[in-house]
Every structure is written in structure tokens, then in C-alpha cells.
Amino acid sequence: GCKFNTERVKRVLERALAGALGTTVYSPQDSAQLAQSLVELLQSQAKEVVPPRYKLVCQVLLGQQSQQSLLVASQALWDPKNDNFASTTFSNASLFAVATVHGVYFE
Amino acid sequence: QPSFVVDEVSSIIKEAIESAMGGNAYQHSKVNQWTTSVVEQTLSQLTKLGKPFKYIVTCVIMQKNGAGLHTASSCFWDNSSDGACTVRWENKTMYCIVSAFGLAI
């Protein structure tokens, strides 16, 4: 298929997050750097399973597990025929991560 | 050449946040409505700019309770035309982070 495959990208994100974060403990000093390297990893992994002519926007949210409430919302102005997104979350006892990849078809 | 003007987008986002949440304290029952309102208003104002762009807008609202939060983004796009803008807002009880991405058609 030549379209953005949500399920496939989601599986890639899940594997990448679990592999990178596993039992990592949240650390205020390291988390900014970790979020950045994580998003770059996710982008390169997602790029491998997305067809050509797609622009990608990848975002990662990395936070400390602390009984707080968090809501993420997103909306796009695009072409629903070709454009799509995949999103997944990961958590362990110490931290949580939300990863989203939006794929936009470029004519 | 149509381009993504960060200052212009930043103002749009700030206005959307203020109008949805300005003066409010965190309320679990309202968060859904706030994120929707921020994202919808931002997208609608971006559309009014009339530029040939596709847009993605993301909003995160988090209750303040001392927990740490970090965000990062990475894009595979056309550096000469595409752009992104992130606005971080907070009050005494919550954080709101809004990111808008514009991709030239």
C-alpha cells in the first residue's frame, strides 16, 4: 500500500518506546535530553515504514509518574484521504511517555 | 513564497489559550472542553491566514502537582517552507503546551 499505515507505525512506536525506556527511572536532569533523543529515534524508525512522499511530524511527551492528570489533544487541517497519524503511550513505575507521528502526503 | 511565520502563529496560539482557559483553575471536568477549544480556535485562525499549508495542532494540559514534564518534536519536511511553533503557558494550577506545525502543500 502507498498510504500511511496507522497500525504499522503504532507497532513501530510501541516497540521503540519499550526498547528505549524499559525500566528507565525519571530524572529531571536527564529527561530533556532523553525526550529529544527519543523523538529522533522514533522519527527514523517511523520513516522506514512510511511510504515515500510523506512529511512526518513526530512528538514525544515524557513525564514523571505522579498521580497527576494529563490530556493530549490534536487536530489537523489536511487531506483525510492520504494523511493520518499514529499514537501510543508507554509507562512504567517512574515515568510515562506519549508518542505521536503525523504523516502528511506531499503531492 | 508562502512561509510559516512563527510570530504570527505564536500570537494565534496565545490568544486561543487565553480565551479558552485564561483566569481558570484546573478542573478535571473542563479539560476536554479546553483542549478542544484551543485546538479548534488555533486551527480556524490558521486557516484564515489563507496560506497553502496543511496544519497539525497539538495541545497538552497537565495539572500542576510537582511532576516533571518534557516535550520534544522532530520533523521530516521541507526546511525552506515548513515551520513549527510551540507555546508554553501556565497558571497556578496547570500547564498548557500547544504546538502548531505548518507543512506547505
Side-chain angles (χ1 to χ4, degrees):
Chain A
C2 282
K3 285 208 193 162
F4 186 94
N5 185 330
T6 292
E7 277 314 305
R8 197 160 178 218
V9 176
K10 186 171 171 175
R11 284 198 298 273
V12 164
L13 296 179
E14 279 165 3
R15 243 185 300 128
L17 281 183
L21 295 176
T23 49
T24 305
V25 173
Y26 179 84
S27 131
Q29 301 95 306
D30 301 335
S31 288
Q33 170 84 320
L34 179 56
Q36 187 58 43
S37 57
L38 207 47
V39 83
E40 283 164 18
L41 170 71
L42 295 176
Q43 180 172 292
S44 67
Q45 303 252 299
K47 190 86 198 85
E48 286 177 19
V49 300
V50 169
R53 306 208 63 84
Y54 271 93
K55 291 182 175 178
L56 296 181
V57 172
C58 306
Q59 295 176 275
V60 160
L61 206 64
L62 185 66
Q64 188 180 16
Q65 282 277 29
S66 181
Q67 305 286 309
Q68 79 279 35
S69 193
L70 175 103
L71 183 67
V72 181
S74 130
Q75 201 173 80
L77 178 72
W78 59 17
D79 176 3
K81 223 184 331 104
N82 294 310
D83 306 330
N84 213 329
F85 76 99
S87 178
T88 191
T89 59
F90 170 89
S91 62
N92 63 26
S94 166
L95 53 72
F96 69 89
V98 180
T100 310
V101 173
H102 286 84
V104 175
Y105 188 72
F106 182 62
E107 306 285 320
Chain B
Q1 219 69 316
S3 61
F4 186 88
V5 181
V6 176
D7 290 342
E8 186 175 51
V9 177
S10 175
S11 306
I12 287 175
I13 294 174
K14 284 178 184 153
E15 236 179 79
I17 297 175
E18 272 301 321
S19 90
M21 292 154 60
N24 284 308
Y26 179 86
Q27 272 176 85
H28 189 75
S29 57
K30 290 249 164 104
V31 181
N32 228 313
Q33 179 188 320
W34 288 337
T35 52
T36 303
S37 164
V38 170
V39 168
E40 273 176 9
Q41 185 173 326
T42 301
L43 206 47
S44 127
Q45 292 302 111
L46 286 173
T47 308
K48 287 189 183 152
L49 295 175
K51 296 186 173 178
F53 281 92
K54 289 183 178 179
Y55 294 106
I56 295 162
V57 178
T58 311
C59 172
V60 178
I61 294 181
M62 188 172 93
Q63 186 185 18
K64 268 189 179 178
N65 76 343
L69 181 74
H70 300 267
T71 63
S73 65
S74 181
C75 303
F76 178 77
W77 60 15
D78 182 342
N79 276 327
S80 58
S81 57
D82 304 336
C85 176
T86 296
V87 171
R88 288 166 189 82
W89 179 97
E90 66 181 281
N91 65 16
K92 278 202 265 197
T93 55
M94 58 187 169
Y95 294 107
C96 178
I97 303 166
V98 178
S99 292
F101 301 86
L103 301 112
I105 302 176

